[in-house]
């Protein structure tokens, strides 16, 4: 049994009213003086037992009358033969949410044969099945999820128009967030069937946050977490796709008129079957079925490379709207590779562009945007001992005919005693005494957008090993110092270098110098890297040698040893030159690279440290649309938040007529991996308590109309309950009336006992006669 008007069940507390009245009247006994009762005592005892039985029957009838009336107003629904005999079929409105997956993997295919078009057709069929009084809305899953219209509507034409306007997004999907939004929109609606129709290609990365949502839903007690979900799976056919995953810019040495290096990393995803699913733990029956599906998919995947093992693609570089270079790349199915462009940019300024692949079956991941700002000079401040600053100046600003765009300034350690506001790269030698106050100043400098290259040496006090600069920026702490400065009998070598990182992407003899461990480190610090720390180089014993850190919009590098020749001979090795040049490029705040970058659909927060508080900032979107941005004023300047980044491209922040900052937004290419869950695996992710029904769009069944507050085939029995209640009222009237008549006669003969009580209905009749 379910109830269509659950709130009326609160009236059940009224059942206590006749019980309280009954208990109260039991204490009211009238005594009549009589000469002698010896002859009627036995007869009185017999009559008292009969009266008690009648009072209990009246109490039961009155409780049942109230109970039936309350239940009738709550509109109970039951199923089966009893419901068919006692009630009438339920004709109740339905309120539903169509959760339509419009992430860019749904657009895989050609000539309109895509999972999205198939899902939209099915959604239109659900809308067409609406009956009078039904309401619905559409939730699009592309991050951030969006409900259209904002509230459920009964206008079929409006929903059909929204579906016709819906398009495949260029961002990834958020299934968990879309379901939360759908449940929130359905909450608060009463007296209606509630349903969620989920139409998706079951792409794995879109569903990864669903487990967290299920944990929250299982802890909820509201009925909104139990709304039935009808899951419609869709699948792309044979797909030919490659994606541009990363673009790194400006990795050469800091030398005037030297070509800038643009390196694009791509993945040729053809041959990765769209329907191939990785298995998860399942029951024996499911495992058997999945094993068969996986075997078939594996055979198809093995056959696909036989038909098309390699393909040549064209990759082009566009800067400021002009084609600057192009390359032909050939890759095997499922393989990753990189392509390099060398372009001379001899004029300082801000440049925007992208690297693009030729067209394939998934267009959203064929283009990767970047921003390159070539400053007049790279500002570098070297803080430390004279020996270390000498090495830094000779590398970044060499004497002779070689010209580098670097402005090197030296400073004493006193500059770290206060906040630093000049954006640039700060190189801190290991000989500088790093007090807690100075480390705090460095942390704020990084958070405000500056770059820091810190070497650890004699100036590090054990009291600051766990300072927030290390834990917050780098995600690590310092354990201990090892080795003896100046003692060259024992040393560590650098090993396990991440040569894919922009700082260590060396060529030729420079890479060989690092890989063979030429540099010797006589003394260093043992760094305890946390779970989220990014270690880009290690010593041969596995301990971190170089750690990258980030805070706010700034970057930092931490080296576990010092430039002082008593600590290491790194400054004397050939790899030291590209290491310093690439580090300055990577850390300098004016050089914005698409590496990592901002992802489409995710809010972007940018610190604007050099603007006044009343600056009139507005954002220009890639489409050309402009609007005022939400700016917040803090200690280090203005922080700007851009919440709407669904469109990939270059975003520009303007202050009046000048562009003060620009950044690139790119799609999350994890969406390009079309590996998917099987429908059974996806349904299992909702947990054991969820009501999930797998649907087969190919069979085109009737649109289900289940819900929390009723079920198909149910019958309302409130009319029957009203009839029963009226019958009980008549019975109560007769029983209490007959008793009151006899009680009246007994009272006239002077019989002793409780006073007679009349029924509710008889009292009303008596008042009318009077």
């Amino acid at each position: 049994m379910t109830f269509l008007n659950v709130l009326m069940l609160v009236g059940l507390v009224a059942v206590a009213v006749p019980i309280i009245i009954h208990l109260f009247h039991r204490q009211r006994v009238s005594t009549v003086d009589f000469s002698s009762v010896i002859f009627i005592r036995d007869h009185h005892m017999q009559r008292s037992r009969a009266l008690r039985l009648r009072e209990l029957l009246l109490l039961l009838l009155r409780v049942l009358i109230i109970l039936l009336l309350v239940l009738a107003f709550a509109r109970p629904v039951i199923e089966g033969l009893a419901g068919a005999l006692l009630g009438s079929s339920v004709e109740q409105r339905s309120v539903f949410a169509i959760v339509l997956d419009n992430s860019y993997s749904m657009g895989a295919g050609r000539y309109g044969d895509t999972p999205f078009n198939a899902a939209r057709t099915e959604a239109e069929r659900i809308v067409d099945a609406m009956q009078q009084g039904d309401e619905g809305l559409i939730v699009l899953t592309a991050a951030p999820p969006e409900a259209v219209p904002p509230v459920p509507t009964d206008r079929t034409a409006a929903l059909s128009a929204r579906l016709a306007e819906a398009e495949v997004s260029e961002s990834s999907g958020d299934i968990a967030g879309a379901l939360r939004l759908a449940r929130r929109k359905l909450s608060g609606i009463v007296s209606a069937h509630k349903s969620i129709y989920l139409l998706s290609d079951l792409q794995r990365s879109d569903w990864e946050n669903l487990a967290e949502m299920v944990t929250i839903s299982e802890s909820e007690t509201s009925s909104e977490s139990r709304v039935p979900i009808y899951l419609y799976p869709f699948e792309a056919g044979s797909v030919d796709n490659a994606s541009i995953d990363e673009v790194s810019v400006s990795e050469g040495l800091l030398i005037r008129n030297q070509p800038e290096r643009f390196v694009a990393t791509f993945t040729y995803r053809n041959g990765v079957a769209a329907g191939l699913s990785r298995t998860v733990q399942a029951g024996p029956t499911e495992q058997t079925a999945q094993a068969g599906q996986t075997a078939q998919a594996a055979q198809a995947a093995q056959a696909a490379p036989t038909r098309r093992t390699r393909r040549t693609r064209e990759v082009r570089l566009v800067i400021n709207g002009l084609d600057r270079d192009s390359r032909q790349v050939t890759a095997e199915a499922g393989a990753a590779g990189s392509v390099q462009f060398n372009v001379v940019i001899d004029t300082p300024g801000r440049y925007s562009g992208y690297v693009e692949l030729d067209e394939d079956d998934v267009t959203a991941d064929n283009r990767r945007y970047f921003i390159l700002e070539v400053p007049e000079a790279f500002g570098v401040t070297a803080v430390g001992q004279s020996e270390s600053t000498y090495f830094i100046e000779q590398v970044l600003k060499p004497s002779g005919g070689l010209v580098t765009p670097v402005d090197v300034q030296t400073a004493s350690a006193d500059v770290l005693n206060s906040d630093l506001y000049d954006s640039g790269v700060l190189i801190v030698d290991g000989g500088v005494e790093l007090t807690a106050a100075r480390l705090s100043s460095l942390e704020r400098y990084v958070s405000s957008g500056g770059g820091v290259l810190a070497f650890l040496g004699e100036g590090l006090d054990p009291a600051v090993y766990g300072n927030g600069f290390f834990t917050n920026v780098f995600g690590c702490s310092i354990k201990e110092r090892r080795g003896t400065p100046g003692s060259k009998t024992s040393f560590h070598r650098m090993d396990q270098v991440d040569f894919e990182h922009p700082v260590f992407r060396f060529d030729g003899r420079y890479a060989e110098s690092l890989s063979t461990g030429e540099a010797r480190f006589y003394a260093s610090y043992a760094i305890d890297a946390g779970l989220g720390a990014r270690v880009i180089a290690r010593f041969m014993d596995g301990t971190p040698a170089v750690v990258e850190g980030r805070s706010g919009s700034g970057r930092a590098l931490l080296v576990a040893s010092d430039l002082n020749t008593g600590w290491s001979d790194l400054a004397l090795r050939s790899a030291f030159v590209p290491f310093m040049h690439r580090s300055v490029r990577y850390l300098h705040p004016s050089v914005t690279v698409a590496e990592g970058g901002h992802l489409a659909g995710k809010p972007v927060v940018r610190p604007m440290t050099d603007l006044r508080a009343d600056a009139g900032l507005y954002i220009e979107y890639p489409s050309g649309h402009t609007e005022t941005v939400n700016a917040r004023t803090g200690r280090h300047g203005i922080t700007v938040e851009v919440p709407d980044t669904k469109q990939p491209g270059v975003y520009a922040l303007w202050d009046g007529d000048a562009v003060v900052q620009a950044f690139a937004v790119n799609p999350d290419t994890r969406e390009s991996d079309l590996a998917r869950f099987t429908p059974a695996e996806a349904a299992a992710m909702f947990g054991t308590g969820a009501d999930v029904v797998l649907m087969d769009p190919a069979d085109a069944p009737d649109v289900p109309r289940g819900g929390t507050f009723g079920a198909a085939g149910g019958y309302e029995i409130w009319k029957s309950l009203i009839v029963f209640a009226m019958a009980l009222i008549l019975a109560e009237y007769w029983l209490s009336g007959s008793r009151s008549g006899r009680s009246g006669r007994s009272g006239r003969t002077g019989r002793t006992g409780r006073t007679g009580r009349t029924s509710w209905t008889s009292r009303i009749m008596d008042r009318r006669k009077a």
Side-chain angles (χ1 to χ4, degrees):
M1 177 184 293
T2 57
F3 298 92
L4 302 181
N5 198 354
V6 182
L7 294 178
M8 293 304 299
L9 293 177
V10 177
L12 289 175
V13 297
V15 172
V17 174
I19 299 175
I20 295 173
I21 294 176
H22 172 76
L23 296 175
F24 176 75
H25 277 280
R26 286 184 61 185
Q27 306 302 323
R28 298 178 59 185
V29 179
S30 299
T31 302
V32 179
D33 295 332
F34 204 74
S35 59
S36 177
V37 296
I38 189 173
F39 299 107
I40 62 175
R41 183 176 297 164
D42 294 338
H43 179 69
H44 173 69
M45 296 298 296
Q46 295 175 2
R47 291 294 300 165
S48 296
R49 284 193 291 269
L51 287 174
R52 290 193 189 97
L53 179 60
R54 186 175 286 111
E55 288 175 354
L56 292 176
L57 289 175
L58 285 172
L59 176 63
L60 179 62
L61 288 174
R62 291 164 182 169
V63 169
L64 288 176
I65 289 170
I66 296 177
L67 179 63
L68 291 176
L69 289 175
V70 172
L71 293 178
F73 281 107
R75 299 179 63 188
V77 176
I78 63 175
E79 301 179 10
L81 181 60
L85 294 175
L86 299 175
S88 57
S89 61
V90 179
E91 294 294 338
Q92 189 186 7
R93 70 188 182 109
S94 175
V95 180
F96 62 87
I98 299 175
V99 179
L100 179 60
D101 188 349
N102 68 326
S103 58
Y104 76 76
S105 65
M106 289 284 285
R110 291 186 178 182
Y111 313 114
D113 184 16
T114 64
F116 180 78
N117 286 338
R120 182 164 54 183
T121 300
E122 187 64 27
E124 292 172 350
R125 197 172 69 85
I126 295 173
V127 171
D128 292 340
M130 290 177 62
Q131 300 178 6
Q132 185 176 3
D134 290 351
E135 296 180 355
L137 79 161
I138 302 163
V139 178
L140 302 176
T141 68
E146 176 186 11
V148 289
V151 294
T153 178
D154 59 356
R155 298 174 56 195
T156 306
L159 291 175
S160 298
R162 294 292 189 177
L163 284 174
E165 296 170 358
E167 296 180 348
V168 176
S169 172
E170 293 182 283
S171 61
S172 56
D174 183 4
I175 297 296
L179 287 174
R180 280 194 297 267
L181 178 60
R183 287 174 173 172
R184 187 166 65 250
K185 294 295 183 180
L186 296 181
S187 64
I189 298 176
V190 297
S191 301
H193 294 303
K194 299 182 184 181
S195 305
I196 295 177
Y197 303 96
L198 176 55
L199 296 79
S200 172
D201 62 352
L202 311 183
Q203 200 270 349
R204 300 184 74 91
S205 66
D206 291 350
W207 286 64
E208 62 183 6
N209 295 328
L210 189 62
E212 178 181 352
M213 190 205 74
V214 170
T215 302
I216 297 175
S217 298
E218 289 178 348
S219 64
E220 295 176 349
T221 57
S222 65
S223 59
E224 304 307 326
S225 61
R226 306 302 178 189
V227 174
I229 298 175
Y230 299 94
L231 178 58
Y232 292 77
F234 296 88
E235 182 178 352
S238 178
V239 175
D240 181 19
N241 181 43
S243 63
I244 299 291
D245 303 316
E246 180 184 337
V247 175
S248 297
V249 189
S250 294
E251 296 184 348
L253 299 180
L254 296 171
I255 302 175
R256 290 288 188 191
N257 301 323
Q258 182 185 17
E260 301 286 353
R261 179 182 302 174
F262 298 81
V263 179
T265 302
F266 65 89
T267 302
Y268 184 32
R269 302 181 186 275
N270 187 59
V272 181
L276 184 59
S277 303
R278 302 178 181 91
T279 59
V280 297
Q281 189 66 29
T285 304
E286 293 180 354
Q287 287 179 349
T288 303
Q290 293 169 8
Q293 296 172 356
T294 305
Q296 295 175 0
Q299 293 175 1
Q302 292 175 358
T306 303
R307 295 190 300 268
R308 187 189 299 174
T309 57
R310 299 175 67 85
R311 181 182 170 183
T312 300
R313 306 288 299 268
E314 181 181 2
V315 186
R316 65 191 185 107
L317 171 66
V318 177
I319 301 178
N320 285 357
L322 301 176
D323 287 347
R324 299 298 300 268
D325 202 353
S326 64
R327 295 282 189 274
Q328 298 288 330
V329 296
T330 302
E332 296 183 354
S338 62
V339 57
Q340 177 178 312
F341 304 92
N342 295 315
V343 178
V344 175
I345 299 179
D346 51 7
T347 303
R350 180 182 290 110
Y351 296 85
S352 65
Y354 55 85
V355 176
E356 185 177 45
L357 280 165
D358 54 3
E359 186 177 357
D360 55 23
D361 293 342
V362 181
T363 59
D365 57 4
N366 290 347
R367 181 179 290 186
R368 196 81 177 177
Y369 293 91
F370 62 85
I371 290 291
L372 173 64
E373 295 192 31
V374 180
E376 290 284 351
F378 290 87
V380 175
T381 301
V383 181
Q385 305 296 326
S386 58
E387 181 183 19
S388 299
T389 55
Y390 170 78
F391 289 133
I392 294 171
E393 288 181 312
Q394 288 300 311
V395 167
L396 297 179
K397 197 72 174 177
S399 57
L402 195 61
V403 180
T404 62
V406 181
D407 181 16
V408 180
Q409 303 289 333
T410 60
S412 67
D414 293 336
V415 299
L416 303 180
N417 294 333
S418 58
D419 287 336
L420 306 165
Y421 295 103
D422 293 333
S423 296
V425 178
L426 190 65
I427 302 178
V428 181
D429 171 57
V432 175
E433 183 181 358
L434 295 178
T435 62
R438 290 176 175 178
L439 290 174
S440 180
S441 177
L442 288 175
E443 182 180 357
R444 290 192 297 270
Y445 180 68
V446 175
S447 299
S448 64
V452 172
L453 173 58
F455 295 89
L456 299 182
E458 199 69 45
L460 186 62
D461 192 295
V464 298
Y465 280 3
N467 187 271
F469 175 68
F470 302 118
T471 58
N472 298 335
V473 177
F474 299 97
C476 68
S477 61
I478 310 301
K479 294 173 60 177
E480 60 182 359
R481 192 173 84 174
R482 55 190 185 177
T484 303
S487 177
K488 302 182 179 181
T489 55
S490 61
F491 50 84
H492 286 85
R493 296 182 186 273
M494 191 177 293
D495 192 15
Q496 305 175 40
V497 178
D498 182 8
F499 287 105
E500 294 300 319
H501 192 278
V503 172
F504 287 116
R505 198 171 286 172
F506 295 170
D507 291 331
R509 61 189 181 90
Y510 298 129
E512 183 180 356
S513 173
L514 276 182
S515 60
T516 56
E518 280 188 5
R520 300 180 179 186
F521 298 87
Y522 311 114
S524 62
Y525 285 89
I527 297 177
D528 184 12
L531 188 61
R534 185 178 184 184
V535 180
I536 60 176
R538 295 181 181 272
F539 293 117
M540 298 188 70
D541 62 354
T543 57
V546 183
V547 182
E548 179 187 354
R550 299 191 182 191
S551 180
S553 62
R555 297 174 176 174
L557 293 175
L558 182 66
V559 182
S561 188
D562 193 8
L563 293 180
N564 185 286
T565 53
W567 280 69
S568 74
D569 63 355
L570 175 63
L572 306 178
R573 300 296 178 179
S574 59
F576 181 63
V577 176
F579 172 75
M580 293 301 296
H581 280 244
R582 292 174 189 269
S583 296
V584 170
R585 278 192 182 275
Y586 186 70
L587 298 175
H588 201 278
S590 67
V591 181
T592 307
V593 184
E595 184 261 336
H598 301 289
L599 297 179
K602 307 294 184 182
V604 173
V605 178
R606 305 284 298 185
M608 314 290 290
T609 58
D610 53 351
L611 290 180
R612 63 187 189 278
D614 59 344
L617 294 175
Y618 64 93
I619 184 73
E620 181 181 2
Y621 293 92
S623 61
H625 171 70
T626 61
E627 66 178 25
T628 304
V629 295
N630 181 23
R632 296 189 298 267
T633 303
R635 179 177 181 182
H636 299 292
I638 300 174
T639 300
V640 174
E641 180 178 358
V642 183
D644 183 10
T645 59
K646 284 189 173 183
Q647 183 181 3
V650 175
Y651 292 68
L653 284 166
W654 292 74
D655 179 16
D657 297 331
V659 177
V660 294
Q661 199 173 112
F663 59 90
V665 172
N666 290 290
D668 185 352
T669 55
R670 292 182 302 170
E671 186 79 20
S672 302
D673 183 0
L674 300 183
R676 62 193 293 269
F677 289 108
T678 65
E681 290 174 342
M685 294 181 66
F686 287 92
T688 55
D691 184 7
V692 181
V693 181
L694 290 178
M695 307 298 294
D696 186 359
D699 290 343
D702 294 336
V703 176
R705 290 170 57 86
T708 306
F709 293 90
Y715 299 89
E716 284 195 75
I717 60 173
W718 67 271
K719 295 179 181 179
S720 298
L721 295 179
I722 292 293
V723 172
F724 292 153
M726 294 300 296
L728 292 179
I729 290 174
L730 293 176
E732 191 270 348
Y733 174 77
W734 175 82
L735 186 59
S736 60
S738 62
R739 179 215 165 190
S740 64
R742 281 190 284 268
S743 299
R745 290 191 295 271
S746 301
R748 285 191 294 270
T749 59
R751 185 181 301 123
T752 301
R754 295 193 181 98
T755 58
R757 278 174 282 171
T758 59
S759 71
W760 304 333
T761 53
S762 64
R763 293 172 187 170
I764 296 174
M765 296 295 290
D766 291 341
R767 290 192 185 97
R768 289 180 178 176
K769 290 178 182 179

